[in-house]
Amino acid sequence: MSPDEHKESQEQDLIRYTSCGFHCFDQCVLKVRVRDGRIVSVEPDDTIHPGTAREGEHGADNLSSLSMVQYRPCPKGYAMAHALEDPRRVIHPMKRVGQRGEGKFERIPWDEALDTIAAKLLEVKERYGPYSILHQPYSYMGWCSFPLSRWFGAGVAAWGAHSTNGFQEPQSWVYGRDIADGMVSLGHYAFTQDETNIFDSKLIVLWGFNPVSLMSSRVSHNLLQAKERGIPIICIEPRYTPTVEVLADQWIPIRPTTDVAMMIAMANVWFKEDLCDNDFVERWVEPEGLVKWKAYVLGAEDGVDKTPEWAEALCGVPAETIEGFARLYAKSKPVNLNMSLSMGRQFFGENPARASMYLQALTGNTFIPGGTAAVETGLWWGRLGGSLPWVDWQQKRRTYRAPVLMAMYKWPKAIDLREKLDRGEITKEDFNSRIGNKADNPAPNIQLVILESNDHVNNLPSMNQTIRAMKKVAFTLVFAQYADAPAARYADILLPQIYSAYEGRNGGCGLHWPLFTTTLNLGSHFVYRQKCVDPPGEVKPNDWIWTQIAKRLGLVDKYNPRMADVADEDWDQAVEMLYKEAYENWTNRKDIAPLNPPDWETFQERPVFRFPMEGEPYYPLKHHVDAGENPFEGTASGKIEFYSEVLAEGPEYLRNHDIPPGTGRCYGGGELPPMAQMTLGGRDTFFSENTGEYPLLMSSPHSYYRVHSWLDNNKWLRTDCYRHAVWMSVADAKKRGIKDGDGVRVYSDIGEMVGPAYVTSRIVPGTVAIHHGGWYVPKKEKTDLMPDGIDRRGAPNLFTHSEDLPDTVVGTFPCKGLVQIERLEDGT
């Protein structure tokens, strides 16, 4: 094709705009070029500053622009388009013809699939009762995500969340506020910050936080500009990450699960050298709890002075480094402390989570411009620029509210233990305690599992337990794009999953995010996700699927009345018209009309609307400060509390109460110190009692090239750009005769895998890393430990335990596991 012909073909291309639509906590704008019904390219956002190589270089005043910046996609957004025509993709409804786990299916018509699902829902509800149906991924934070639950009269809700477990509860103990109820009337998540709040700080601390790999391009962009402005950035974590390489002025390597020891030692320096912000502490910190924690830190309680030398022996950070960092921190107000959510997702993770809040309180950084409250910053949720258009689906009032009967990640344990309960081997109270359910609550009997648009088999702790659970229940329904995805292999009915970003009219009537969607990091804009291409085969939108099931159950007039009579061929157009109606109603609102939004037809040319983001950046609790309100009115004292009276009540109280009352959140019959301490022992910690047999502590950090396990099989994100391997330190590898690239066997008491080693100085000795989301791909070789086959790809959740009681309370979402590693005999 000549240059002129190429230009002519481009001019004839259909241009569409969309966003990824997956929960990597952003909605980057994707410009999609469609030719002859196929996507030929995915390009960056050109709805603002087109052709600008690097924003922020056109004047210091514009460095802190909140809304007028591009959202540039990461490799995941670009590579996803190449999967649409993947010949391996599931494009028809299928039913299992082998055993669960074999991954053998045959094609069936949609009517057969839908009839089977409806019949199984009725059968299971009739036989096992209303608490027998479990839908994921979003039955969490007190919700049940089963789309028909409210009218079908069955379903189970759960507490906690994948991302925030380990931080959500400590936040409520210390600040009296919960992440789930943190949204205030003006659209701020109470404890978070606008990204540009960092420009008001004098020191940025990224503790276990790797935004270059995990957050939006705009977060890293602003951090880089903060660095160029001379604001020092210090990274504390066990690996030399891309964030350390690109942003850090100093990297402080630390042993995982020992961070709280360093934090305690920092406070030790502050107490002894009078470096606390005493005015802030006197005004906002509850004094009796502070006295107790100070006594612990200085050794008055147990005779052990928690000095930097004490911490060095535990965390591996030199005492002089701890001392220097503590003094710098105390004298650099405002300090922008950003804690990784993974800090809470480990055994005793509530300790560093609480201690990080203490550090900010002691130095007066909790709610000032440039400061943070040390919670929720791992998500960087900021304020919303304004209200979005919202479709009125005219759903009917609910007739059933699913009760909260477990911690959200405990559903496999609830299934796995149910046999023991039914045989009388454990009591109902013990069963409930172990899944995070109050002792006198009903015990769920989950017999129908629906995994929609997720892979809980691969991504929950204790993978073999999840596999056992999927084999035990009466029926499993899975939505997936590939039949060999770990969850899909355990489906009775396997439904094809649409790619919402490019193919979809998933309108938001059920589980899925609406087509008007905004970022979670800073809602300065919203995107209307336009349909780019038709899906292949018989792939259907999820909303369509649930509408057809609702018809069979007699619920369609309650679930989706406005789409009940729409023919299949008119579905997309009908959804479009509902969104047009919503948009036009939105443009006529009194608060929106002054912003001069374009009419619908003009908006469709570039369907991105940006709100003006005026005023100073939002910092934690700013809304409450501006209103003259007490931000800590949720605690008993009305102040920041270092000591939890609830935890001090002990195991018997915790197993018999939900906290707060009425939430369904029950910590089970375990123990956790009522204030942040360095707790030795436990499961899967650097100082666990199991380190003799399994001496290496595995972490499972997120990958730049996946969202959880999604895209792990994408050919564009493998081999030359990403090396999925077992990270090992040089010292640990040398001890085992392992060289870079050697095949290794990784094993523990609950799992086993083989894969290549990556021997590097970028990780602390005594620890290893296997990136989260690697698919469980079983070998033919099976063992008692691995009855479905030894893993040959690298799925770290084979090694993460779902055990907590009695050593600690129910509530964290563990992402670490103790392992041993040996070189394979042939080295491959």
Side-chain angles (χ1 to χ4, degrees), residues 120-135:
K120 287 295 182 181
L121 285 166
L122 290 167
E123 176 187 324
V124 168
K125 177 188 172 185
E126 175 67 24
R127 182 172 180 182
Y128 299 103
Y131 312 138
S132 58
I133 297 173
L134 187 284
H135 180 284

Side-chain angles (χ1 to χ4, degrees), residues 278-354:
N278 295 318
D279 291 338
F280 183 92
V281 169
E282 183 177 356
R283 173 68 182 87
W284 292 110
V285 177
E286 191 278 315
E288 293 185 11
L290 175 59
V291 167
K292 292 177 181 177
W293 194 67
K294 185 174 181 180
Y296 165 76
V297 170
L298 297 178
E301 180 188 84
D302 58 7
V304 178
D305 192 6
K306 313 303 186 301
T307 63
E309 289 75 17
W310 165 84
E312 178 180 355
L314 297 168
C315 67
V317 179
E320 56 267 31
T321 300
I322 297 174
E323 289 178 3
F325 178 63
R327 295 182 183 119
L328 175 67
Y329 192 117
K331 296 175 181 179
S332 297
K333 186 176 179 180
V335 175
N336 197 274
L337 173 60
N338 295 273
M339 301 298 298
S340 169
L341 293 172
S342 65
M343 197 73 69
R345 297 199 300 260
Q346 59 190 15
F347 215 89
F348 302 133
E350 299 93 344
N351 285 328
R354 287 182 284 177

Side-chain angles (χ1 to χ4, degrees), residues 114-127 129 132-133 146 148 152 154 448 450 475 477 546 549-550 553:
L114 297 168
D115 289 345
T116 301
I117 295 165
K120 287 295 182 181
L121 285 166
L122 290 167
E123 176 187 324
V124 168
K125 177 188 172 185
E126 175 67 24
R127 182 172 180 182
S132 58
I133 297 173
F146 174 31
L148 306 181
F152 184 61
L448 194 154
I450 304 167
F475 184 73
L477 168 63
W546 286 113
I549 296 171
L553 297 174

